């Protein structure tokens, strides 16, 4: 079965600045592909290419086997790619159901009597959230009163309802505590189980390993590794993301520099010496 989304040796340059170079990944239905990397690794640029905000300068970008070059986020949505950004495009004082349908509200009536079908929107919002296992107290409550994790879950359920085939999640657990992160990861897995291909962008290898099927590691805009879950253990994934040999060298230097006989990097005399 062909990948829903496939990037092969994709690169993006801003003048002489290399934002992304030679990055490849595949997104399959019913799987979660995790993209890991520290700040400046190229994760944001990769998101923008998949979401249609930016076009790649080299390499190929395929959607369901067809090479493409997205011109806008709307075009990406029309092709079944929904992106949920970390800051979430919600209106805090509007109720949950209004945010669920924001920009795509169903109406009823004709001509001057045309109006929003609020009852239908409330019913659909409640049903879709329940289908994803999200049991809100009241869909009329302002979305700003929900926790960060609950708002992320509403955004995921919205993408599923509006027919997304690929769901791109930008650091969904970055600003959340342990419990709320667990809630969000549960719904990320629910989206996968609903048949979506999920791209999870994160700098947390523990979160990635809990739900991920494939892992792509980025470093300074390039590929630092690509693994199926069966090929790599959590410890090795963490080590590679942290820098591998660079981390080993740093540990060695810190251990040497912080020994009992060293101050400011210089060996000092002790009573024993």
């Amino acid at each position: 079965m062909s990948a829903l989304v496939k990037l092969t040796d994709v690169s993006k340059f801003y003048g002489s600045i290399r934002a992304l170079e030679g990055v490849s990944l595949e997104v399959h239905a019913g799987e979660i592909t995790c993209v890991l990397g520290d700040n400046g690794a190229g994760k944001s640029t990769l998101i923008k290419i998949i979401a249609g905000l930016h076009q790649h300068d080299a390499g190929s970008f395929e959607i369901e086997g067809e090479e493409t070059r997205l011109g806008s986020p709307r075009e990406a949505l029309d092709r079944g790619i929904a992106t949920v950004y970390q800051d979430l495009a919600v209106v805090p004082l509007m109720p949950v159901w209004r945010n669920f349908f924001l920009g795509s509200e169903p109406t009823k009536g004709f001509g001057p009597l045309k109006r929003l079908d609020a009852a239908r929107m409330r019913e659909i919002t409640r049903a879709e959230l329940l289908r994803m296992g999200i049991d809100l107290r009241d869909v009329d409550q302002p979305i700003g009163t929900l926790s960060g994790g609950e708002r992320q879950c509403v955004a995921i359920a919205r993408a599923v309802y509006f027919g997304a085939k690929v769901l791109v999640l930008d650091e969904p657990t970055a600003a959340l505590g342990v419990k709320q992160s667990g809630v969000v990861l549960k719904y990320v897995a629910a989206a996968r189980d609903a048949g979506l291909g999920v791209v999870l962008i994160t700098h947390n290898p523990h979160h990635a390993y809990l739900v991920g099927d494939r892992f792509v590691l980025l470093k300074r805009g390039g590929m630092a590794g690509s693994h199926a879950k069966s090929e790599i253990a959590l410890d090795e994934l963490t080590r590679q993301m942290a820098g591998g040999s660079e981390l080993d060298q740093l540990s060695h230097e810190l251990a040497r520099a912080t020994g009992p006989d060293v101050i400011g990097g210089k060996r000092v005399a002790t009573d024993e010496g």
Side-chain angles (χ1 to χ4, degrees):
M1 184 171 59
S2 64
L4 294 175
V5 165
K6 182 178 180 181
L7 275 65
T8 306
D9 293 329
V10 162
S11 301
K12 179 67 181 177
F13 301 93
Y14 299 99
S16 61
I17 298 172
R18 180 193 77 168
L20 210 64
E21 186 171 15
V23 172
S24 301
L25 66 80
E26 292 187 10
V27 183
H28 292 264
E31 288 189 359
I32 298 174
T33 299
C34 298
V35 179
L36 299 104
D38 285 329
N39 292 336
K43 303 192 303 296
S44 295
T45 303
L46 182 63
I47 290 174
K48 289 171 182 175
I49 290 172
I50 297 174
L53 276 166
H54 290 173
Q55 293 189 344
H56 55 291
D57 295 321
S60 69
F61 178 8
E62 299 176 21
I63 299 177
E64 296 185 278
E66 178 187 343
E67 188 161 350
T68 188
R69 186 176 289 271
L70 296 174
S72 68
R74 168 51 61 184
E75 190 177 335
L77 276 171
D78 291 343
R79 298 292 298 271
I81 299 174
T83 303
V84 178
Y85 292 98
Q86 187 176 333
D87 54 1
L88 294 178
V90 298
V91 183
L93 296 180
M94 278 188 178
V96 173
W97 62 268
R98 281 300 304 272
N99 276 280
F100 192 91
F101 282 93
L102 200 60
S104 303
E105 295 87 351
T107 57
K108 62 182 179 180
F110 301 93
L113 297 179
K114 193 174 184 180
R115 60 197 184 280
L116 294 179
D117 193 344
R120 184 181 172 208
M121 284 190 278
R122 286 187 178 94
E123 180 183 343
I124 290 173
T125 300
R126 190 175 293 110
E128 288 301 311
L129 292 178
L130 275 174
R131 191 164 74 88
M132 291 286 291
I134 307 166
D135 188 8
L136 285 185
R137 297 174 295 279
D138 183 8
V139 295
D140 278 296
Q141 69 189 99
I143 199 167
T145 64
L146 302 183
S147 69
E150 288 173 325
R151 289 197 296 272
Q152 287 279 357
C153 297
V154 170
I156 292 170
R158 183 184 191 276
V160 172
Y161 172 72
F162 281 102
K165 297 178 182 178
V166 175
L167 179 62
V168 183
L169 299 167
D170 175 23
E171 300 272 10
T173 62
L176 304 179
V178 174
K179 185 175 181 181
Q180 284 295 316
S181 294
V183 170
V184 171
L185 291 174
K186 174 182 172 184
Y187 297 122
V188 172
R192 173 198 63 199
D193 295 342
L196 277 72
V198 180
V199 181
L200 175 63
I201 312 290
T202 183
H203 63 268
N204 190 318
H206 296 273
H207 291 170
Y209 204 78
L210 279 172
V211 295
D213 298 292
R214 301 165 185 259
F215 307 101
V216 173
L217 290 92
L218 299 183
K219 181 179 179 182
R220 298 172 189 163
M223 293 276 291
S226 180
H227 310 278
K229 189 169 188 175
S230 59
E231 298 171 349
I232 191 168
L234 173 58
D235 288 348
E236 178 60 20
L237 182 68
T238 304
R239 179 178 176 278
Q240 287 192 21
M241 183 179 167
S245 59
E246 292 179 14
L247 185 64
D248 292 340
Q249 178 65 25
L250 178 61
S251 299
H252 176 68
E253 290 177 4
L254 289 174
R256 183 177 59 194
T258 57
D261 298 340
V262 175
I263 296 177
K266 296 181 178 179
R267 181 170 293 276
V268 296
T270 65
D271 292 340
E272 298 172 1

